[in-house]
Amino acid sequence: MSPPAVTTLQSLIWPEQGICTERDLYVRLHGPAGFSAEEGMVHFSVDSRAEFNTWFNLFNIGKWQHNCALSDLQLSLEGAGRFEVSVFLALPERSWERLVNEVVSLSATAPTLIDLSHVFDLELTEGVLFFELRALSRGKLTAADWVTADAPRRVPELMLSITTFRREAAVQRTARRFGSYISTSPLKDHIRLTVVDNGQSVTIPESSNVTVVPNENLGGAGGFSRGLLAARDSGASHCLFMDDDASVHMASLDRTWRFLAYAIDPATAVAGAMINASHRWAIWENGAVFNTRCMPLYMGTDLRDPGQSFGMEYATTGPAPANFYGGWWYFAFPVDKVAHQPFPFFVRGDDVSFSLVHDFNIVTLNGVVSFQDSFTDKESPLTWYLDLRSHMAHHLSLPSMEIGALRTLKIAVWFFLRNLPRMHYETIAAINLALADVLRGPEFFDANADMAQRRADIKALTRQEAWVKSTGQDPSDSKWRMNPHNRWTRLVMKLTLNGHLLPLFSLFGNRIVLEAQDRGSIHLAWGASEITYLSANKRQCYTVRHSKRAFLRESARFTALALTFLRRYPRLVKQYRKGYDELTGEGYWRAKLGMAGDGVEGTAP
């Protein structure tokens, strides 16, 4: 009798040029063993070892069991040579289990299957599996998969939706990588890519798996709305939002598809983590929660440390916390569970709102991650403007997020006070503009869905806080006249709003130069009357200086707007709740995008 057919749940991910080449995040080699990136395999000499206790290649059995209720699990190995294979079950706060310790001979023509189904006898709530190979002869490992004889619950039809705006090279590179991946994938009949071209400038060869849709530039909100409508019209069961500058291993698509195929809850969604490309070994965000502001989870987790990787996986096994959301650099969700299209924020905040308003079962998966360029250099008066208006709109629009007038206004106060000590008066002017626009109600978002006027307005007011070519400034050039770490200095500076209430402060304050990682820091700004900020690569900089005139002007404007907000709050809540339903309706977006006669209402298969 032939063995039962098995389905792959998770395959190995290897280091990849242009994505991440930190090898110890994928496999840890000991002794005379070597990894061939070109071949995608590990070569062994006698007594060398390979450990797969890595974030990219561990198997979170707790998460799979909680969400998919597997009854069968096996490890499939392919290669050549004799090995001692050990499979470990790592558990939190207790001894680990060695589930398997056997000697096997690997073959490249027939996989070696190792049964692990006895793991289910342990009634796990949390735990991760990983395996280790020790070579007893010369050999190689060409493939390793976690597989099951269980049948999937559904066959997802997954549409990837990428929104791009005049980033031709980036999106063309992504399309080529997807084309290369899908051409040999066993899932090629179930995954396809739609590129929504907001700049109407991209040339990408189309195929049965790749489609380009020209679109008006209504930002990410408009682009992803177009992609979601295309997914609905084509009969896709699931849609995956991705940025054009998101850099992911294509194997992430396999992991996502298979998890969605086996998930018990049909409302299951997958949120990809994010890593700053400057430090590819550290998590920037593995999901986030929103409550008055965005709070990334597990920031700084060092993926080179198995203990930290395991700890993050244990912690993410159960249900996601309240107000959890997934960023649209990688977010897959079921189309038929969507009741609201994105709110027309243009950019920033649409992904938060989308998760908060829907009852998705959002899951994060190890190894499913986007590598993105540093966010430090992207911060600007425009981003602060966009963030404040979306943060306040979330609390005004969604009944589940209501926190009252004072706490909602406190969001704007926090934005103001984060920038005042750093003398970012142009950012404060943009914050005032955001607060004024929030007061205009949801109709403002509709009328300014393309943000053309506001982008021009904020560009015009941004003079001091715009990056210019550096002339060699260095932190060693700083002139420290007061110690910002001294508690009395900090107390005086806090009481005087960092010298804004002290006469002649600009004459005796610190004049300092800060590197990119300190750009958002307030503690170094205490006592400063002039700060030069350097970009991440130190090739650009800008300088801000103490100004009582700017402080008084923007403070007076903020105070007037704040009092108006408190007075109008009850009316604003009613307007935003009504407007949210209207501006996230399918009919609204079809009309806005010129698709009024397109498509069908459609349901997922």
Side-chain angles (χ1 to χ4, degrees), residues 343-406:
F343 189 84
F345 283 122
F346 191 73
V347 293
R348 300 181 82 97
D350 40 9
D351 50 1
V352 179
S353 174
F354 193 73
S355 288
L356 295 178
V357 78
H358 289 109
D359 191 23
F360 296 133
N361 170 38
I362 305 177
V363 178
T364 60
L365 299 177
N366 62 289
V368 177
V369 61
S370 170
F371 295 86
Q372 298 214 347
D373 292 334
S374 171
F375 279 85
T376 305
D377 295 348
K378 297 179 181 179
E379 182 183 293
S380 69
L382 178 61
T383 62
W384 282 90
Y385 165 88
L386 293 166
D387 282 344
L388 176 58
R389 64 179 203 156
S390 68
H391 283 29
M392 297 186 77
H394 298 328
H395 287 286
L396 291 166
S397 302
L398 305 177
S400 64
M401 299 301 296
E402 183 171 0
I403 55 176
L406 286 174

Side-chain angles (χ1 to χ4, degrees), residues 448-495:
N448 293 270
D450 64 357
M451 271 286 291
Q453 184 60 53
R454 278 296 177 257
R455 283 182 286 156
D457 294 339
I458 294 173
K459 183 178 180 180
L461 67 81
T462 306
R463 295 186 176 91
Q464 301 301 319
E465 297 173 35
W467 293 109
V468 297
K469 185 177 181 181
S470 173
T471 56
Q473 292 92 334
D474 188 85
S476 63
D477 299 330
S478 299
K479 294 180 174 61
W480 298 94
R481 296 163 179 169
M482 289 178 279
N483 180 3
H485 301 295
N486 180 279
R487 65 174 181 170
W488 295 111
T489 298
R490 291 200 310 272
L491 178 60
V492 171
M493 289 300 103
K494 289 179 180 180
L495 291 175

Side-chain angles (χ1 to χ4, degrees), residues 122 220 236 281 318 333 352 354 380 402 405 420 427 437 451 455 509 511 519 564 573 600:
L122 301 176
W281 43 266
F333 56 92
V352 179
F354 193 73
S380 69
E402 183 171 0
L420 182 61
T427 293
D437 289 344
M451 271 286 291
R455 283 182 286 156
R511 289 172 167 79
R519 191 176 176 209
T564 302
V573 169
V600 293

Side-chain angles (χ1 to χ4, degrees), residues 246-264:
S247 199
V248 302
H249 291 291
M250 287 296 158
S252 297
L253 303 180
D254 279 57
R255 291 191 181 184
T256 300
W257 190 94
R258 296 185 189 282
F259 195 86
L260 295 173
Y262 279 87
I264 300 169

